[in-house]
Amino acid sequence: MSTSSYDQDLAQAEKLVTNGIRSMLGISGLLALVVGILMLVWPAKSAIVVAAIIAIYAVIAGLVNLGIGIFSRKIAGWSRFGYLLLGVVFLVTAGIAFANLKATMIALAALLGIIIGVMWIIEGIVSLSTIGNASSKAWTAVFAILSIIAGVLVIMSPIWGAAIVWLLIGISLVILGITQLIRAFRFGPA
């Protein structure tokens, strides 16, 4: 019994799709693994790269906003001025960031730490407000108190908090990258 041309084409298409998915899994896994290792081995240098990427984004956003403010014919008055001003602010911010990427990285880390601290404090307060409805009042109270304390500690030392988050992200990327690579090698028909 010979297979029809249709069956051969279908088998070939399935093989191409399988190989494409396998390749994407492998590439994304390898990328996650490499970035995770870089974050763990060179945390400061990889954080500076992140600061540079954010500065590059600021340049692009600045140019886009200036372009909208200059070339858009449907926007007039204050809206046009707002786009122009925003474009200039983005470009100035990018210039400052590129002038000292290390200081930018430290400022971003401090900002991240403060945001995390504030979120934990708010989460603790919200948990305290739900104690009346909680099935486990003791665990809810413990969580709320720990969350508030952790938030205050991180706000008192935001760089430390951001460093811990950076470490956890690096470890996660290494684990996820290895897992994704294993999936890439094992993906396909059973």
Side-chain angles (χ1 to χ4, degrees):
M1 175 189 270
S2 67
T3 59
S4 70
S5 174
Y6 174 77
D7 290 337
Q8 289 174 348
D9 288 345
L10 185 60
Q12 183 67 19
E14 287 177 4
K15 185 176 181 180
L16 287 172
V17 169
T18 299
N19 287 338
I21 292 171
R22 182 180 290 134
S23 296
M24 293 310 297
L25 289 172
I27 290 168
S28 67
L30 185 61
L31 183 63
L33 179 62
V34 168
V35 170
I37 289 171
L38 291 175
M39 289 174 72
L40 296 173
V41 174
W42 293 301
K45 289 183 182 187
S46 57
I48 289 174
V49 170
V50 170
I53 291 169
I54 292 171
I56 290 168
Y57 165 79
V59 168
I60 294 168
L63 293 174
V64 167
N65 280 291
L66 282 177
I68 292 171
I70 292 169
F71 298 112
S72 180
R73 299 291 175 222
K74 294 183 180 184
I75 299 174
W78 287 106
S79 296
R80 179 172 276 191
F81 175 75
Y83 278 112
L84 292 171
L85 182 63
L86 188 58
V88 170
V89 169
F90 268 118
L91 290 174
V92 168
T93 302
I96 293 169
F98 278 124
N100 192 345
L101 283 174
K102 187 174 182 179
T104 301
M105 180 260 308
I106 292 169
L108 289 170
L111 179 64
L112 177 64
I114 291 168
I115 290 170
I116 290 169
V118 168
M119 287 187 324
W120 284 349
I121 291 170
I122 292 171
E123 187 175 31
I125 292 169
V126 169
S127 293
L128 282 176
S129 72
T130 63
I131 284 182
N133 299 331
S135 60
S136 177
K137 293 176 182 10
W139 283 112
T140 303
V142 167
F143 173 81
I145 292 168
L146 288 176
S147 183
I148 292 170
I149 291 170
V152 169
L153 290 174
V154 169
I155 287 175
M156 291 172 54
S157 181
I159 302 293
W160 175 82
I164 296 298
V165 169
W166 191 259
L167 177 69
L168 292 174
I169 292 171
I171 291 169
S172 297
L173 284 173
V174 168
I175 293 168
L176 291 172
I178 291 169
T179 305
Q180 195 78 316
L181 285 170
I182 293 169
R183 286 183 65 209
F185 285 112
R186 297 188 53 102
F187 186 81

